[in-house]
Amino acid sequence: MYASKKYWMIAWILVLPALLIRIFTTIYPIIETFHISLFEVKLLQGIRKFVGLDNYLQLFHDSKMITSIRFTAIFVVGSMIGHIVLGIILALILNMKFRGQKALRTIVLLPWAMPMVVIAMASKWAFNNEYGLINDFIRRFAPSFNLDWLIYTNTARSAVIAVDLWKDLPFFAILVLAGLQFISSDMYEAAKIDGAGSIRSFFSITLPLISRNILMLSIFFTMWRITSFDVVYAMTSGGPGESTALIAYRVTTEAFTNLNTGYAASIAVVLFLVMAVLSGLSMSAAKRVDY
Amino acid sequence: MKRFWSLFLTGSLTIAVALSGCSGNGSRANETTSGTKDAGNAGKDEITLYTIQSTNPKFQDWLKEAEEKSGVKINWVAAPTDSDTRQQKVSTILSSGDNTVDILEINDEMATSFKNAGWLEPLQDTVLTDDVLNQLPQGYMKDMLTSSKGDLIGVPSYTGYLGLWVDQKKLEAAGMTSINNEEDFVKFLKATTKDGQYGYGGSWEKTYVFNEIATFVNLFGGDYFDWSNEGSRKAVKFMYDMANTWKVTPVDQIADKYEQMNQKFIDGKYASVFMWGTGTDYKQANRYGEDQIHMINMPEFAKRSIFTDSWSYVLNSASKNKDAAIKFLKYAASEDGELNGWKNFDRYPARADVAAKEEVAGDIKTIYNEIQSTNEVHGRPMLPQTMEFISEMGTLFQNYIQDKITLDDFCKKAQEAVERYK
């Protein structure tokens, strides 16, 4: 009993620093953010007064915020559909046996290894009508093509989603590929003997067996998308107008540009709650999908 | 017991590694060119400067002279080159009471935002004494660098004009020798718009476009804070017509900041732009000169009017090195300090007596003198929630230019924004 008590004491002493660091860097900021969200805090004007839930109520009447919520939903759904569909296709290609397969897998991963802010800044130029390589490429097939992607709402939004997809798709595909490689070739051979074609094999064997991987990946990728901000920060600054301002970008703008920290905190809290609910639902769903 | 010591050592090592990670300083605060903290610097006053100039090729020359003449050892931290990021970092430093930097270089947007927040040290009793102040542009000092309590919070490091720059070859090709009034201006824009090139180039990204809207508002005799004023309405209608009616400027530029606009101007896509400074970018591209790209006097619409700006050195209230910081600021405000900026950074001196000196020479001096004597010179119209207001106006403008709202809608919403942020 004595030894056990001592053992636990030492264990706690060793764990305590990490625990304190975690409390100080994670738990405290969350509590403080919630606390600040109940105040009207405008640093520039030296205002700090308790307003209860007013910031939260303002959130749902703020047209800029509604635009942000709408675009964040479009961004997450568009990006995830792209990741899942193209990610599976890319993974299937990478799973084929051909010369240079390993080299290709490494090359494909390169965009993922680059910081998003660098990619986004380069993309700002890439989508430029005058100098951009996107239009240069298109004009090789359609010489009269003329479009400045980042000045219209829909094309700017599409460009932002495309850049996000371009960066993280290889990572998604490589993780799907890992799942593919766990599928025994015996299953495909048995299916072939039973007369199944490649499409039937894909839907009856491949897809069900990688569905858990895809679900888990989708959960994490969705969460990363919801909290994305660097792509629009560097690429569009939320423009044209406010049309590509993701929610996380709005938090940054309110907190660090406008210095309305109370309001920014309320957006952050809502974002946090959305993430918490989503992760709960996702984990619950993940438990139900197993082959 | 052996296991205890093993666990203890592992734990200690973990803590040591964690703490060493925490104490690392990622900034370049201790980098200097004149040697680091060696014995030669012992006993010297020392400050940390948050600067936008560190990427300038002559920064080291400027720094060396500044250290020698101020007697202060200057550590420096590079400000981000992106304007949004820079503004956010400076806001964070000042609002959090961070004392790791003593002096910061801030622009008008930041000065307007911060001057009443109590984060900056008043300088009228120590640095901006009457003899210095009398040489600085009075209107600018009052509008931009004076707090509501009457404190002076910054030392302007130069005087810049948001001037009209033209490509001389295009002006000649249009058969014109000068642009004196609105009629000339429109004629020039139309004559030089052809073959995918435009008479006018702008930077209409939602925060940058503020400068141009306000410039046209001034030229038309309007008031940026009064959108029932006919001059204000005319100004944005004029910009709309440039883009949509006469098509002498591309709508595409609503995604452009100065870097894109300047590149296009240098490449010959535009015949004219409104731009700050003394033409450093054009010089570096070998496109500067009387026969190439150069600044001309503002055309007279309802009146001749121009904006002036500066980046100013300010003293962080949380600084622990205020004495040394004040020494540096006195140097920055001195003749030597201003000449150092002119020599190394091509910044036109803010002090009238320094600008008049022989050392300050060249065609930019000629045009600056002409502008000073013929234009109404203003500081830009800014409100305390500066960036929020600027961004909202820019968004409204972009919506108007893209026909998402009418001129009446623009003016109505712009007025609402003025009232909201005032």
Side-chain angles (χ1 to χ4, degrees):
Chain A
M1 185 67 187
Y2 173 73
S4 174
K5 202 172 174 182
K6 186 178 165 191
Y7 176 84
W8 283 111
M9 194 179 76
I10 293 167
W12 273 109
I13 289 170
L14 293 175
V15 167
L16 200 60
L19 200 62
L20 288 174
I21 289 170
R22 179 56 76 189
I23 289 170
F24 185 70
T25 59
T26 307
I27 310 293
Y28 169 71
I30 291 172
I31 294 169
E32 182 60 14
T33 304
F34 180 71
H35 177 233
I36 294 173
S37 75
L38 302 175
F39 288 79
E40 182 185 5
V41 183
K42 294 191 171 181
L43 294 176
L44 289 171
Q45 290 143 314
I47 296 173
R48 186 187 168 98
K49 67 174 180 196
F50 182 76
V51 291
L53 297 176
D54 280 5
N55 284 331
Y56 292 94
L57 295 174
Q58 187 193 336
L59 235 156
F60 298 101
H61 294 99
D62 178 352
S63 61
K64 283 194 245 175
M65 196 56 216
I66 291 164
T67 306
S68 290
I69 292 169
R70 197 174 292 146
F71 175 58
T72 305
I74 293 168
F75 177 75
V76 172
V77 172
S79 177
M80 286 320 301
I81 290 173
H83 273 93
I84 292 168
V85 175
L86 298 176
I88 291 172
I89 293 171
L90 186 57
L92 290 171
I93 293 169
L94 294 174
N95 199 33
M96 290 174 182
K97 287 190 168 48
F98 54 88
R99 189 190 286 264
Q101 182 205 42
K102 284 184 181 168
L104 183 67
R105 284 180 190 172
T106 310
I107 292 167
V108 157
L109 259 183
L110 282 178
W112 172 73
M114 290 164 70
M116 176 53 106
V117 74
V118 173
I119 290 173
M121 290 193 87
S123 302
K124 189 182 168 83
W125 283 100
F127 280 100
N128 188 287
N129 194 23
E130 299 293 319
Y131 308 107
L133 62 87
I134 308 280
N135 282 6
D136 178 61
F137 178 74
I138 295 171
R139 282 178 192 138
R140 285 162 200 267
F141 304 98
S144 59
F145 184 80
N146 186 38
L147 173 66
D148 203 320
W149 296 79
L150 301 184
I151 72 161
Y152 303 106
T153 301
N154 290 336
T155 52
R157 287 176 166 180
S158 305
V160 165
I161 292 171
V163 169
D164 177 71
L165 197 56
W166 183 81
K167 185 192 184 305
D168 275 354
L169 179 68
F171 185 52
F172 190 96
I174 291 287
L175 294 176
V176 173
L177 176 64
L180 287 176
Q181 291 180 336
F182 274 103
I183 302 174
S184 165
S185 58
D186 294 350
M187 299 183 82
Y188 291 107
E189 282 165 20
K192 201 173 179 181
I193 291 166
D194 289 345
S198 53
I199 293 176
R200 178 66 191 268
S201 292
F202 173 76
F203 282 106
S204 299
I205 300 171
T206 312
L207 202 54
L209 288 177
I210 59 169
S211 57
R212 189 176 165 80
N213 289 47
I214 291 174
L215 184 66
M216 291 310 293
L217 284 175
S218 301
I219 292 167
F220 287 115
F221 273 65
T222 299
M223 289 183 181
W224 292 337
R225 305 272 93 68
I226 292 174
T227 52
S228 280
F229 103 102
D230 40 5
V231 60
V232 296
Y233 184 83
M235 192 173 161
T236 62
S237 301
E242 301 290 337
S243 58
T244 60
L246 291 165
I247 297 175
Y249 175 78
R250 173 78 50 220
V251 175
T252 315
T253 312
E254 289 293 347
F256 299 111
T257 304
N258 303 338
L259 299 182
N260 295 332
T261 43
Y263 188 51
S266 70
I267 306 172
V269 168
V270 170
L271 202 56
F272 172 76
L273 293 175
V274 168
M275 295 283 286
V277 170
L278 267 181
S279 53
L281 289 174
S282 307
M283 298 309 277
S284 159
K287 281 182 191 165
R288 293 169 197 215
V289 179
D290 203 358
Y291 280 84
Chain B
M1 198 60 184
K2 197 175 173 183
R3 193 171 65 172
F4 170 80
W5 283 110
S6 160
L7 287 170
F8 180 76
L9 287 171
T10 310
S12 306
L13 187 63
T14 308
I15 295 167
V17 169
L19 293 179
S20 68
C22 291
S23 64
N25 186 349
S27 83
R28 300 161 71 185
N30 287 320
E31 288 181 22
T32 68
T33 52
S34 56
T36 48
K37 293 177 179 176
D38 53 25
N41 286 319
K44 255 190 170 182
D45 288 326
E46 192 164 327
I47 59 163
T48 300
L49 169 69
Y50 196 79
T51 178
I52 57 163
Q53 291 292 351
S54 61
T55 53
N56 190 307
K58 290 192 153 184
F59 176 68
Q60 300 300 345
D61 296 340
W62 175 87
L63 191 67
K64 192 173 171 218
E65 187 174 327
E67 286 190 323
E68 277 171 12
K69 293 199 172 165
S70 67
V72 175
K73 181 175 181 289
I74 303 167
N75 305 306
W76 55 273
V77 178
T81 50
D82 175 71
S83 58
D84 292 342
T85 316
R86 190 169 51 222
Q87 169 113 0
Q88 290 174 5
K89 287 203 80 166
V90 172
S91 301
T92 309
I93 289 169
L94 293 174
S95 63
S96 64
D98 183 346
N99 61 12
T100 55
V101 292
D102 305 296
I103 303 283
L104 302 96
E105 277 181 281
I106 63 170
N107 60 8
D108 293 345
E109 289 87 334
M110 289 191 252
T112 314
S113 293
F114 305 150
K115 66 185 179 186
N116 297 319
W119 304 333
L120 304 173
E121 199 70 9
L123 303 175
Q124 64 271 21
D125 298 331
T126 49
V127 180
L128 294 167
T129 44
D130 286 347
D131 54 325
V132 176
L133 193 58
N134 289 339
Q135 297 300 332
L136 293 168
Q138 300 301 303
Y140 177 82
M141 295 302 292
K142 184 171 173 292
D143 292 343
M144 295 296 165
L145 297 177
T146 307
S147 75
S148 54
K149 288 185 201 161
D151 291 331
L152 290 162
I153 51 91
V155 176
S157 59
Y158 68 94
T159 285
Y161 288 123
L162 183 55
L164 179 61
W165 293 79
V166 297
D167 190 326
Q168 183 65 24
K169 288 193 169 55
K170 289 177 187 285
L171 186 71
E172 287 165 11
M176 298 174 71
T177 53
S178 61
I179 302 171
N180 287 318
N181 50 40
E182 184 186 344
E183 194 181 59
D184 285 352
F185 187 62
V186 175
K187 186 181 160 196
F188 171 66
L189 301 188
K190 288 180 177 173
T192 49
T193 299
K194 56 188 170 190
D195 306 327
Q197 298 181 347
Y198 293 91
Y200 178 83
S203 172
W204 288 4
E205 189 269 347
K206 69 180 171 186
T207 52
Y208 281 67
V209 71
F210 159 71
N211 287 323
E212 287 169 63
I213 303 174
T215 294
F216 281 110
V217 166
N218 268 357
L219 287 173
F220 278 101
D223 177 348
Y224 198 78
F225 297 135
D226 178 6
W227 289 94
S228 63
N229 184 312
E230 201 49 41
S232 308
R233 292 174 64 90
K234 270 186 187 171
V236 285
K237 176 69 169 58
F238 185 83
M239 294 173 81
Y240 177 92
D241 285 339
M242 282 200 297
N244 294 306
T245 311
W246 309 321
K247 298 188 188 304
V248 295
T249 196
V251 178
D252 300 6
Q253 69 204 4
I254 66 171
D256 291 351
K257 295 184 176 181
Y258 282 149
E259 57 180 339
Q260 286 86 14
M261 181 188 81
N262 266 336
Q263 189 59 54
K264 291 176 184 176
F265 190 34
I266 287 165
D267 290 348
K269 188 175 172 69
Y270 301 145
S272 64
V273 302
F274 283 112
M275 188 62 211
W276 297 103
T278 51
T280 308
D281 286 345
Y282 313 134
K283 285 173 192 165
Q284 285 168 357
N286 285 324
R287 287 278 279 135
Y288 178 83
E290 287 295 316
D291 58 340
Q292 291 215 56
I293 290 173
H294 62 109
M295 188 188 278
I296 62 169
N297 197 3
M298 296 296 274
E300 187 170 2
F301 285 29
K303 58 186 180 182
R304 276 188 215 274
S305 177
I306 198 164
F307 282 127
T308 181
D309 88 323
S310 188
W311 280 74
S312 302
Y313 295 111
V314 294
L315 172 52
N316 183 356
S317 290
S319 165
K320 302 280 186 208
N321 305 307
K322 284 185 185 156
D323 290 342
I326 285 166
K327 272 191 190 175
F328 169 79
L329 288 171
K330 280 184 175 172
Y331 162 76
S334 71
E335 292 186 14
D336 283 342
E338 296 247 328
L339 280 174
N340 194 2
W342 164 252
K343 239 174 11 191
N344 290 305
F345 300 151
D346 209 17
R347 287 168 147 186
Y348 198 80
R351 281 177 64 142
D353 55 347
V354 181
K357 283 180 176 293
E358 278 180 15
E359 292 99 311
V360 181
D363 49 7
I364 202 73
K365 185 169 183 171
T366 314
I367 187 65
Y368 266 46
N369 284 338
E370 187 182 350
I371 285 169
Q372 279 163 358
S373 59
T374 55
N375 281 254
E376 279 184 14
V377 179
H378 298 276
R380 287 172 293 165
M382 292 179 179
L383 295 176
Q385 288 288 111
T386 318
M387 292 312 294
E388 206 171 348
F389 177 53
I390 285 175
S391 175
E392 182 146 344
M393 292 292 278
T395 299
L396 287 174
F397 176 78
Q398 289 190 347
N399 286 337
Y400 171 51
I401 287 294
Q402 291 191 310
D403 279 326
K404 290 179 183 170
I405 57 174
T406 63
L407 177 61
D408 284 340
D409 288 338
F410 172 85
C411 292
K412 182 170 167 274
K413 290 179 181 200
Q415 194 59 45
E416 285 169 7
V418 171
E419 303 307 328
R420 187 160 56 251
Y421 294 110
K422 221 165 189 176

